[in-house]
Amino acid sequence: MVLLQRPHILLLLIGTHQFLQCWIAFGSVNEEGQKQEEFSEELLLKPLPDHKLLAHFHFQSSGPPSTSNGCHHHLFPKAISQLVQKFRIKEMELSFTKGRWNYESWGGFDPLSSSNAKPPGVELWAVFDVPQHHIDASWKNLTHTLSGLFCASINFLESTATYSTPEWSFPPASGNVRYGTLPCEAVCTENLTPWLKLLPCRDKAGIALLLDRPSLYRGFYHSQQLHLTSTGSSSEGIDSGIILEQTLTVVLQPNSEMAIEVHASEKHIQPSWSLSSIFGKQVSGRCVLAKPSSVYLLLDRGLSAANGLTSENFWSNPSFELSANPDRIFLEESSSHSKSLSILYMFQVEKYCESEPFDIGLMWKVPVAWLCQQTPLHASRFLMGSGNERAAIAISLKSTQFTEGFMSANSKDGSCELRVDVFQVVPWYVKVYFHSLRVFVDQQPRAVSDIIEKIHVSPSKDKMSPGVMEVVLKLPCRVNTAALTIEFDKGFLRIDEYLPDANQGFDIPSAIISFPNFHASMVFLEDDSLNKSPLLSKFQEKCPVMSYTEVLLVPLTTPDFSMPYNVITITCTVFALYFGSLLNVLQRRVAEEERFLKAKAAKKTGRLPLLLSKLSAKLRGRRLEPLHSPPSSSSFINSKLVLKVILVAGLAVGWQYFFS
Amino acid sequence: MEKVKKKIGSFSFWNWVTASIIFRLILIYFPKNLNLSSRPEVSTPLTSFRRLAEGYWLKQSFMSPYAGSMYHGSPLLLSLLGPLTINRIEGQPNHLLYSLVSVIADVVSAMLIRATGQNLRLAYLRSLESLDLVKQIEVSGDIAALIYLCNPFTIVACVGLSTSPIENMAVILCLYGACSRLIPLAAFGWVIATHLSLYSAILIIPVIFLLGCGPDSPPRKLFLQRHQQKEVLNQSKLPPRFSWGPVIHFAFWAFLWSVYVLVLCGISLKQFGGLWEMFKSTYGFILTVEDLSPNIGVLWYFFAEVFEFFRNFFLIVFHVNILFMILPLAIRLRHRPCYLAFVYVAICSMLKSYPSVGDSALYLGLLGWFVNELADMQFSLFLFCGYVGVSLLSPVMHNLWIWRGTGNANFYFATAMVYACLQIVLVVEGVSAMLNHDRKLRNLITGKPQDAKS
């Protein structure tokens, strides 16, 4: 009976279930139509010529424009989306870097190095979508927000003396860009932890599991970046999509003990490594929220050429051995000026799980030596001169093996020119004399107007704005060396403007040398799955080739920090000495003159002035001169006494009154 | 010091002038001007040659010369001297033309000092004559000119390519014009000197006295006393009373010249921010002591060390210190306007924000006018030795601090302190000696025993 009655309920249940399913399906269709929030995690490993290994973590979250969701996000970090909405950021990049990118041996021409080699310390630039006069206010707020978000002293970039407005030599050039660096900022795990917090899985699962702090910070170079791009115009309101790229680039020395053994036996053999030997961890499956979750191994052109890798034999190579089988292999599209091609081995993390963790290793069998692709000119910067009064900054450009190739390729034209953009910011206490700019080409001094095609200078204002110099150099292609020197005076600061360790010196931020005629891109052979990988599609973008120079440490003269009171008192004493003695000389009358005046005064006036003169004589401790009219009566003395008493009493009353 | 000057004076004047010019020319031919142009004693932020060149470069590249905080001088100097900073003659030293301008400015200043000195000597002789005091007196004009030309400070400022020879020339031009009653010239000199450095503005008081009552003479009271004694009142022998005519004339010309100068500045700065920016970065820069690079004054270290919240207070105190002394000095020395001018110049060069040796060279040169009056000055040997000692020690301390890093800022500051003290002693003793001189004259007239000195 019950069962008889139940079918209705059952039917009802089934009906509602189906309806719910339909509804859910409809809902998901709806969301797909709107584009969903996506997250991807990728790791790229690349052996470097000097026995090191580059690991490049790339996490990308994208938040599509979402009117329906309002302020809610599934994967996208809320803090970042609020930041973008609040300050109307079009594009922003924040990087924390420790160590210096070695352009000579780690390359500078590929997209990896030209977008991930950053100057030491903190670098922040942002493009705003607000009217010109609001930009500085937005920048100030942004620095404070980021400072709180990443536990760094980015708020020091707030003052106008620390950031600058590049006009055209900084690649994302537009009028609304602001650029600031903190070269002496120490980067450590306290900056990494908030950065990891933005990832949906943090470092609990997926590739981020490899981010083991001790092994990361043991590296030679460590750069953690945050790149924000907001797509679509956000001028109407909050309706804009945001793409957040978080990258971490580390250069590590694989397994040092093993390397030493190898070093002893065979000199040139590259060290073998595996993920577990480098990071001390393995990847146990992907982060479930990540859509593509893959690891790549990149063998760049030089290496594949040295190995004799061609499009035929890259599956089975005699010179090295991979511990895991790659899922796919990509070949670079052949370009015009190099015969060899980069090879990319792809491993999908999805296939692995807790019981069978992913660990890729590379075992070298034969020694190989190769060179990375370098920037057209190798830039370095140094200080000239001694002493703490004045010095000069020199930026020297040296041709690399690339330029030779480029030159031979273009020498038929005859008039071939190499364009180099230099962007240099100097703090205000480095007082640059722009008229002292000199250019040397192949160690010969040249007229500035011959080489410099365009120059934009904004001179530094004391405590107000830094000095900015943007120069476009047109160098002949056959150039071997070129140098740019500029003189400066070292400023003198107030004692409270010095940093805590004043004798260490002050840093001049890196200069940016960019080569606008060259673009670094790595186009891999067309494949459908490629479009899915944000890392590879980023490689395909043409990014300008640029390199950062070294940070310069300028020692500045220090005053004596313990002296303020002494200086104040001594100086004031000298001034008092001047004032007092000069006034004394001016008002001094010689004794005789004084007597004469007194006599005159006594003759002319009554008792009171006489009294006062007597009083003053008493006070001075001098004997009163014999008066012309001797005290005649005792009543006078009495009255004098009374007057004195009244005076003293009045003073006392006044004193009492004043202090009560 | 006086004796040395006397010895110099006995030689032929023109030989010394030629010798000093040749000496300058030899120094100019040394490579890099012996690095004098970057010495802190020579080039302050206001007078530095490199900053002038930077300002000119900025102007040439269509930017305001005051865009950075490099140049703080006048836009007129930029237009006149700017081209000389880049013009080069093949095979000649880099800044030959500019150096030649400085040398010429020095020589012109010396000649003007000489002419003014002769003027003063004549006036002095006349007044002594009218007081019936006949005395052997030195040719003070020649001595002053030679002190100015042969002073190592002047030579260093000239060879070091600073703009102070030109500033000094403007000041001397002003005094010369006032002494020889060329009112437009005096007004021009005063306006230019004020335009180039703010402190020269207070020279208006001695100039008014000069124009009103004529050059230095003993106090008017003395003449009256003398004539009372002789029972005859010879009006023609009295120094003239204060007359407002030339003063009004001077005010008119000063107004005219300042309008002219401002219009010129306005034209040259038309496309970059105009006159307000000029005043802010010239006079404002002088008054606020923004640049704390070491110089021979004391304010740079003081303001580097002083606490931020006292800064404004002390800025006011130090500038008021100059103003405070104007009135007492003007009252006491009103009968000696040239001497008053010397005292003002000395006080300014002691208390100004960015002093250089060029300023000291000016007042030391002017001191030469009064060799007769100041013959009894005390501590002259001490002062002479002090000046020599400081000018030797100060570069050593600077070298120890800045270049070798073995010394300390206090070492250099100590020499600056000593230098300030020396100048204070010079001013105080000079004023005292002048007042004593007047007293002595009075005693000679009234016939009283000479117990006036104390």
Side-chain angles (χ1 to χ4, degrees), chain B residues 266-281:
Chain B
I267 289 170
S268 68
L269 292 174
K270 198 171 58 191
Q271 63 263 45
F272 340 97
L275 288 178
W276 175 241
E277 200 190 338
M278 179 189 91
F279 283 124
K280 223 169 67 180
S281 53

Side-chain angles (χ1 to χ4, degrees), chain B residues 149-166:
Chain B
L149 268 186
C150 304
N151 190 344
F153 288 173
T154 327
I155 295 175
V156 162
C158 170
V159 178
L161 302 170
S162 84
T163 56
S164 39
I166 290 158

Side-chain angles (χ1 to χ4, degrees), chain A residues 28-156:
Chain A
S28 67
V29 164
N30 207 9
E31 271 176 19
E32 266 165 24
Q34 250 187 21
K35 273 182 91 182
Q36 275 203 323
E37 289 181 3
E38 279 169 0
F39 173 71
S40 70
E41 53 173 14
E42 281 151 309
L43 166 65
L44 185 120
L45 298 163
K46 180 185 170 188
L48 293 172
D50 57 346
H51 296 214
K52 295 192 179 71
L53 177 76
L54 176 121
H56 176 68
F57 295 84
H58 184 272
F59 305 98
Q60 180 167 329
S61 324
S62 58
S66 51
T67 38
S68 56
N69 288 346
C71 303
H72 296 289
H73 293 280
H74 299 290
L75 298 176
F76 198 81
K78 194 176 173 186
I80 298 295
S81 74
Q82 282 175 340
L83 193 86
V84 172
Q85 279 164 20
K86 184 114 197 276
F87 304 121
R88 303 266 197 85
I89 297 166
K90 228 189 227 167
E91 205 176 350
M92 187 197 95
E93 190 174 278
L94 172 69
S95 69
F96 296 88
T97 310
K98 208 181 84 177
R100 195 157 60 80
W101 183 265
N102 189 345
Y103 284 95
E104 269 169 328
S105 49
W106 303 343
F109 200 79
D110 47 335
L112 202 62
S113 54
S114 55
S115 59
N116 291 303
K118 289 284 165 191
V122 169
E123 187 201 45
L124 172 70
W125 59 263
V127 186
F128 295 93
D129 189 26
V130 290
Q132 280 290 336
H133 55 280
H134 288 313
I135 293 180
D136 288 321
S138 297
W139 169 267
K140 272 175 199 173
N141 289 328
L142 175 69
T143 54
H144 279 270
T145 315
L146 288 176
S147 171
L149 207 57
F150 290 103
C151 299
S153 40
I154 307 172
N155 56 323
F156 285 137

Side-chain angles (χ1 to χ4, degrees), chain B residues 25 28-30 87-97 100:
Chain B
L25 293 178
I28 285 167
Y29 272 85
F30 271 93
N87 283 355
R88 293 205 168 81
I89 306 169
E90 274 306 311
Q92 298 290 327
N94 276 347
H95 305 297
L96 181 69
L97 289 174
L100 287 181

Side-chain angles (χ1 to χ4, degrees), chain B residues 346-381:
Chain B
I347 287 175
C348 285
S349 75
M350 174 170 71
L351 300 181
K352 76 196 303 193
S353 332
Y354 311 101
S356 72
V357 288
D359 303 310
S360 309
L362 177 64
Y363 73 73
L364 288 177
L366 298 190
L367 187 65
W369 283 343
F370 311 101
V371 274
N372 298 304
E373 288 90 335
L374 298 182
D376 299 331
M377 200 172 113
Q378 288 180 317
F379 303 127
S380 49
L381 180 69

Side-chain angles (χ1 to χ4, degrees), chain A residues 97-106 117-121 219-222 251 378-381 510 548-552:
Chain A
T97 310
K98 208 181 84 177
R100 195 157 60 80
W101 183 265
N102 189 345
Y103 284 95
E104 269 169 328
S105 49
W106 303 343
K118 289 284 165 191
F220 289 82
Y221 175 83
H222 168 269
V251 174
H378 174 67
S380 64
R381 193 177 62 163
S510 302
Y548 288 85
T549 62
E550 300 90 339
V551 168
L552 290 180

